[in-house]
């Protein structure tokens, strides 16, 4: 009987020690990962797979660790500290917008401007060539007209072949018919529509900003070479007597695959970084008020966002969504890939994510804005 009485606590002690070890290891490993991710993401091409971590994990995992901390009774304090530290370090990468809880939209003055930015998902390409729901051209254009915007910044103005090669399209006649009086500016897969006069149009070539020379950029047999080299279209518009620059961007996707076994991993990272460098260089020399919008293919958890100039301000604070997700799969919004930034001369009055009515796997971005009065230090064009 004595032997049996002593055996039970020993067995329980072994279980208790294993449980503590698991919780402490998980807390330590997660903290190490968050710190490493904070320092490496956006800088190293071999960090491709960790960069695909869902942003919300940087908030959910620390909270879960706090919840199980009591299971590691002798080390619960250390687990709690690790969880809190990982939450603090990773909070900005979680994609949570707590300002939505107290945000109140600014009044809309007369003359406010509406901007509509959207990844169209291969324009009006028939459903048999895409993975999306059934679409038709009339419905597609009806959706665009319903937005009643002054400026449209649209991406994926192209089709894709069966072997996933980009195909140039020319729908300018239909665009002018659907949007009478609008100016149409096209560069590669990017199209900007504006009811304001255009004073400058310039696609930004990313090739001068690459770290290495890649001989197949663009591919020699491509039917649409500018699809690979110009991922941002700058269009300067004359708005109320003042020049305002609108940047329409669609950055390349991360190279998905095991970095050391995927030949294009280093190239893909270099091209993505060149997208940001080309944009930053142009913004640095631009004296006008700026609106940048588009599908950057960059989640809140990806460090490449830090490459944007400090002059650009994230408009997220003006949205009423606590978790502004723009990319969806399986009918469920997952996280944010589409962004909108402005400079200080632009007052954001309203900023909303707009459902795509089944026409795209991206929600659109709708901005209502106004331009501040000219003053010393601000260029009025």
């Amino acid at each position: 009987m004595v032997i049996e009485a002593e055996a039970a606590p020993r067995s329980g002690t072994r279980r208790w020690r294993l449980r503590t070890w698991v919780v402490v290891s998980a807390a330590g490993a997660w903290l190490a990962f968050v710190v490493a991710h904070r320092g490496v993401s956006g800088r190293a091409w071999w960090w491709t797979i960790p960069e695909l971590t869902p942003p919300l994990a940087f908030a959910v995992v620390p909270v879960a660790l706090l919840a199980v901390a009591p299971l590691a009774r002798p080390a619960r304090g250390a687990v709690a500290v690790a969880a809190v530290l990982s939450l603090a370090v990773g909070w900005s990468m979680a994609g949570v917008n707590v300002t939505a809880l107290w945000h109140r939209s600014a009044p809309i003055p007369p003359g406010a401007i509406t901007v509509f930015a959207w990844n169209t998902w291969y324009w009006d390409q028939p459903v048999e060539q895409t993975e999306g729901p059934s679409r038709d051209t009339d419905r597609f254009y009806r959706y665009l007209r319903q937005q009643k915007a002054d400026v449209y910044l649209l991406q994926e103005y192209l089709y894709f072949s069966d072997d996933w090669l980009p195909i140039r399209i020319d729908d300018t006649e239909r665009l002018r018919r659907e949007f009478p009086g609008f100016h149409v500016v096209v560069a590669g897969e990017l199209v900007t529509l504006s009811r304001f006069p255009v004073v400058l149009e310039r696609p930004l070539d990313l090739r001068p900003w690459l770290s290495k020379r890649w001989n197949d950029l663009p591919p020699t047999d491509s039917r649409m070479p500018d699809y690979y080299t110009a991922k941002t279209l700058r269009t300067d518009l004359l708005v109320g007597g003042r020049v305002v620059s609108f940047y329409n961007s669609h950055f390349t996707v991360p190279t998905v695959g095991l970095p050391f076994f995927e030949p294009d991993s280093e190239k893909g990272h270099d091209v993505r970084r060149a997208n940001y460098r080309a944009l930053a260089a142009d913004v640095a020399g631009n004296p006008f008020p700026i609106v940048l919008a588009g599908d950057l293919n960059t989640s809140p958890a990806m460090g490449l966002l830090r490459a944007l100039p400090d002059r650009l301000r994230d408009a997220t604070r003006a949205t009423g969504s606590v978790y502004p997700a723009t990319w969806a799969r399986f009918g469920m919004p997952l996280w944010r890939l589409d962004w909108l930034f402005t400079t200080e001369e632009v007052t954001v009055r309203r900023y909303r994510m707009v459902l795509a009515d089944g026409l795209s796997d991206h929600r659109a971005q709708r901005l209502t804005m106004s331009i501040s009065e000219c003053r010393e230090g601000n260029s009025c064009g």
Side-chain angles (χ1 to χ4, degrees):
M1 295 296 294
V2 174
I3 294 175
E4 290 179 0
E6 290 179 351
R10 287 174 183 169
S11 177
T13 301
R14 284 195 296 271
R15 288 197 300 270
W16 173 77
R17 287 177 177 172
L18 176 62
R19 185 173 60 193
T20 301
W21 182 87
V22 169
V23 174
V24 170
S25 298
W30 181 254
L31 176 59
F33 168 74
V34 173
V35 171
H37 186 75
R38 185 85 186 186
V40 177
S41 177
R43 296 186 173 96
W45 64 267
W46 39 265
W47 197 255
T48 300
I49 299 299
E51 286 207 315
L52 302 180
T53 302
L56 207 53
F58 291 93
V60 171
V61 173
V63 171
L65 288 171
L66 282 172
V68 300
L71 298 178
R73 192 165 301 169
R76 58 188 173 187
V79 171
V81 168
V84 171
L85 284 175
S86 63
L87 182 63
V89 174
W91 178 252
S92 63
M93 301 184 288
V96 179
N97 176 37
V98 294
T99 59
L101 300 175
W102 57 81
H103 171 73
R104 296 295 179 270
S105 298
I108 299 178
I113 303 160
T114 300
V115 180
F116 184 77
W118 184 40
N119 180 330
T120 63
W121 207 12
Y122 318 138
W123 207 244
D124 63 337
Q125 187 170 14
V127 65
E128 61 267 16
Q129 292 178 286
T130 67
E131 300 174 355
S134 179
R135 297 181 292 178
D136 63 77
T137 300
D138 292 339
R139 179 170 170 242
F140 173 78
Y141 276 101
R142 187 164 55 249
Y143 174 79
L144 286 177
R145 289 196 315 271
Q146 288 170 349
Q147 308 312 318
K148 299 185 184 328
D150 301 301
V151 179
Y152 291 80
L153 306 175
L154 306 174
Q155 302 97 48
E156 292 198 358
Y157 177 60
L158 79 169
Y159 289 167
F160 268 91
S161 64
D162 292 335
D163 51 355
W164 291 105
L165 295 175
I167 303 171
R168 192 185 306 278
I169 61 175
D170 184 0
D171 222 12
T172 50
E173 287 189 13
R174 178 72 185 258
L175 284 166
R176 291 193 173 100
R177 194 164 65 245
E178 297 284 351
F179 298 93
F182 275 68
H183 303 270
V184 181
V185 181
V186 177
E189 56 143 325
L190 306 166
V191 56
T192 296
L193 309 175
S194 167
R195 71 174 185 85
F196 303 108
V198 177
V199 297
L200 173 74
E201 53 184 87
R202 181 165 68 208
L204 306 186
D205 191 340
L206 63 84
R207 286 173 293 183
W209 303 100
L210 293 165
S211 298
K212 294 184 178 181
R213 180 177 178 180
W214 306 97
N215 293 327
D216 58 343
L217 189 68
T220 55
D221 59 346
S222 174
R223 289 172 283 179
M224 195 175 175
D226 48 359
Y227 168 79
Y228 300 92
T229 60
K231 308 305 287 183
T232 295
L233 169 62
R234 170 182 169 179
T235 309
D236 289 2
L237 307 177
L238 191 60
V239 181
R242 188 171 187 188
V243 175
V244 181
S245 295
F246 290 82
Y247 289 82
N248 180 3
S249 296
H250 183 200
F251 291 171
T252 46
V253 300
T255 302
V256 180
L258 295 175
F260 293 100
F261 300 98
E262 173 57 59
D264 287 336
S265 290
E266 184 177 4
K267 173 188 171 185
H269 175 75
D270 194 19
V271 171
R272 275 174 57 77
R273 191 167 53 180
N275 294 163
Y276 282 89
R277 288 175 170 175
L279 174 63
D282 198 85
V283 168
N286 187 343
F288 303 121
I290 291 172
V291 176
L292 160 66
D295 174 11
L296 304 189
N297 270 310
T298 307
S299 81
M302 295 179 178
L304 271 175
L305 283 174
R306 296 191 297 265
L308 290 173
D310 292 338
R311 185 183 170 203
L312 296 178
R313 300 180 176 184
D314 185 3
T316 303
R317 292 178 177 273
T319 184
S321 173
V322 175
Y323 186 67
T326 64
W327 181 63
R329 269 287 187 258
F330 316 112
M332 181 177 66
L334 297 177
W335 49 78
R336 186 176 191 180
L337 296 178
D338 306 77
W339 297 83
L340 195 146
F341 296 87
T342 65
T343 51
E344 64 175 350
E345 306 95 332
V346 178
T347 301
V348 177
R349 305 288 178 173
R350 297 280 192 280
Y351 177 40
R352 296 290 182 268
M353 309 301 173
V354 181
L355 293 175
D357 195 22
L359 292 166
S360 175
D361 58 346
H362 287 256
R363 290 183 176 181
Q365 301 178 93
R366 183 179 178 86
L367 167 71
T368 305
M369 54 169 269
S370 57
I371 307 297
S372 63
E373 296 293 329
C374 297
R375 62 181 187 274
E376 185 176 357
N378 284 344
S379 176
C380 295

